[in-house]
Amino acid sequence: MLNGDELPKVDSQPGPRTKELLEKKARFVARGIPILAPIFIESARGAAIRDVDGNVYLDFYSGIGVANAGHCPQEVVAQIRAQAERLLHSCFMVAGYEPYVKLAEKLVEITPGEGLKKAMFVNSGAEAVENAVKIARAYTGKPGVIAFEAGFHGRTLLTMTLTSKVKPYKHQFGPFAPEVYKVPSAYCYRCVFGASYPGCGLACLEHFERFFVTETDPSNVAAMVIEPVQGEGGFIVPPKEFLPGLQEICARHGIVFVVDEVQTGFARTGRMFASEHYGVTPDLLTLAKGIASGMPLSAVVGKAEIMDAPTPSRIGGTYGGNPVACAAALATIDALEQQQLSSRAERIGSRLTGLLETLQERYPQLGDVRSLGAMVAVELVKDPKSKAPAKEAAAALIGECFKRGLLVMGAGIFSNVVRLLPPLVATETQLERAAEILTESVQAVFAE
Ligand SMILES: Cc1ncc(COP(=O)(O)O)c(C=O)c1O
């Protein structure tokens, strides 16, 4: 058993067991399902992962932002076990059970917004976004949905349509869902208006005046769906005025303001929810990933009046809010609160951001360093003037980290971003070892 505080130790890559499993995978698993870091995990704890050949890795992707409270947190595992003994499944919509209601109560308590709120549960981030749109349409009686360039909301028909990266997510998967309208996001490093913040006067907000004339009338729009920090898009952190500006536009036009915190939620950004950084109160909030330490669970939480728009049985599903997943979520939220992991996210984020900014002085190919709490990314470019995306360098940096035992992931509409999403329980020693590996890896990729 791992303790969780292990440091990386890489002996053979790929080792013999891994080779065997990779061969089997190639034979039996559809090739559309890749394994980006070619390892097979034997066990994981905290921020440490051990593979089937005994190599130990530091996990700085957290199962894509899921293991915020660490891998297999013991109190979460204990609650999963206890709940599994009592009840594995019922379908809440037929016969209820307490963990569902307790979790709804907890989420209503900890999410932004003072007024009456309600929650409902489904299984994945995409399903939460789908349901938020259904609820917004039922509430407004309107069809349109506004989404943002560089956004990612999932892989179902509607959420793929809301998503803004053709390859690999949309290519050959059309036709797409109707009544989805895209607008530019506040991607300041690559502003589509060619402007710079703050002199731009928030051209991306101004753009709505034109958009509502050229694309659709606001009276046609049910919902606006926005990630507070665009995740897959490359950890795009907007200026502080952007989200409040969007909320104001939504309020003015009776559009439901849906904030997708699937990746940013649950202490990741240094607050329980990233919306808190911007002082916005979403009408509806979509949550998943960090909610339950890896048990499949997602939620829509929001204003009771909006959440109650669909009449009974118009939303839901067989597995949504499974009792074991709800028990895991309650224990996970408890762990995040008890261990003050939001503060820890701030510390981890500032250490990694500081490191990358120092490296940037020496290596200008680290074009843009962006972060909010422990959501940290660097966008790689061929040179800082042209900002030509350096996709190959990003892949090389991920590969160099991997060789040294640090697992990190790519992101970005041009696939030229390396993102760091460490478990918030990573120890100081692990954080420092990760910093060393990142430094060595950047040096290896950009060696003069
Ligand atoms: C912001 C956001 N929304 C939705 C999703 C989709 O979640 P899932 O993969 O659980 O369907 C993701 C996944 O990365 C995400 O980052």
Side-chain angles (χ1 to χ4, degrees), residues 9-312:
K9 186 175 93 37
V10 179
D11 296 322
S12 55
Q13 255 181 353
R17 274 292 286 146
T18 301
K19 269 193 203 144
E20 227 174 86
L21 289 170
L22 281 172
E23 272 162 31
K24 271 205 179 167
K25 184 214 168 251
R27 268 187 66 197
F28 297 118
V29 179
R31 81 183 165 141
I33 307 288
I35 293 187
L36 298 176
I39 60 167
F40 284 84
I41 300 173
E42 179 263 332
S43 58
R45 178 79 74 85
I49 282 178
R50 183 164 56 209
D51 80 358
V52 289
D53 292 297
N55 299 306
V56 177
Y57 291 88
L58 264 185
D59 171 9
F60 268 42
Y61 77 106
S62 293
I64 321 192
V66 170
N68 293 3
H71 286 284
C72 302
Q74 289 308 281
E75 50 300 358
V76 176
V77 173
Q79 289 304 319
I80 289 173
R81 271 207 194 99
Q83 181 57 48
E85 293 284 351
R86 288 194 292 268
L87 176 71
L88 280 177
H89 175 73
S90 132
C91 184
F92 185 81
M93 300 171 78
V94 180
Y97 39 84
E98 189 173 356
Y100 193 112
V101 184
K102 266 177 94 171
L103 182 61
E105 183 180 16
K106 184 71 188 173
L107 290 177
V108 162
E109 179 198 317
I110 64 172
T111 48
E114 297 301 319
L116 286 180
K117 285 182 283 170
K118 289 192 171 183
M120 59 90 67
F121 301 115
V122 271
N123 307 290
S124 67
E127 231 188 317
V129 176
E130 288 267 353
N131 276 279
V133 171
K134 282 169 71 173
I135 292 167
R137 282 177 170 162
Y139 178 69
T140 58
K142 303 187 239 170
V145 185
I146 297 173
F148 290 79
E149 264 179 32
F152 181 92
H153 300 285
R155 295 166 184 270
T156 58
L157 176 60
L158 176 61
T159 58
M160 169 178 67
T161 309
L162 297 173
T163 289
S164 196
K165 184 170 174 179
V166 178
K167 286 185 183 172
Y169 303 126
K170 305 172 78 153
H171 186 57
Q172 297 177 332
F173 290 155
F176 300 107
E179 286 299 333
V180 170
Y181 300 90
K182 287 276 166 59
V183 289
S185 63
Y187 188 178
C188 297
Y189 186 63
R190 295 183 188 278
C191 177
V192 294
F193 304 101
S196 338
Y197 178 80
C200 61
L202 275 293
C204 43
L205 287 179
E206 288 292 311
H207 176 71
F208 276 94
E209 298 301 324
R210 187 184 172 112
F211 168 83
F212 285 137
V213 173
T214 58
E215 298 305 317
T216 187
D217 191 81
S219 63
N220 181 52
V221 181
M224 176 186 287
V225 184
I226 176 87
E227 297 161 85
V229 175
Q230 290 182 308
E232 304 300 307
F235 287 14
I236 299 164
V237 184
K240 60 183 189 313
E241 300 89 342
F242 186 60
L243 284 155
L246 294 179
Q247 178 158 34
E248 191 278 317
I249 290 168
C250 286
R252 188 155 24 109
H253 295 295
I255 296 168
V256 176
F257 183 51
V258 180
V259 179
D260 180 353
E261 292 233 28
V262 165
Q263 192 158 165
T264 52
F266 297 99
R268 171 56 55 192
T269 66
R271 301 275 195 286
M272 194 55 102
F273 301 102
S275 299
E276 297 167 42
H277 286 282
Y278 298 98
V280 292
T281 306
D283 293 325
L284 299 178
L285 196 57
T286 53
L287 304 170
K289 289 192 185 280
I291 192 172
S293 296
M295 295 299 290
L297 181 72
S298 64
V300 186
V301 187
K303 291 184 177 157
E305 183 194 349
I306 303 175
M307 291 295 294
D308 277 341
T311 46

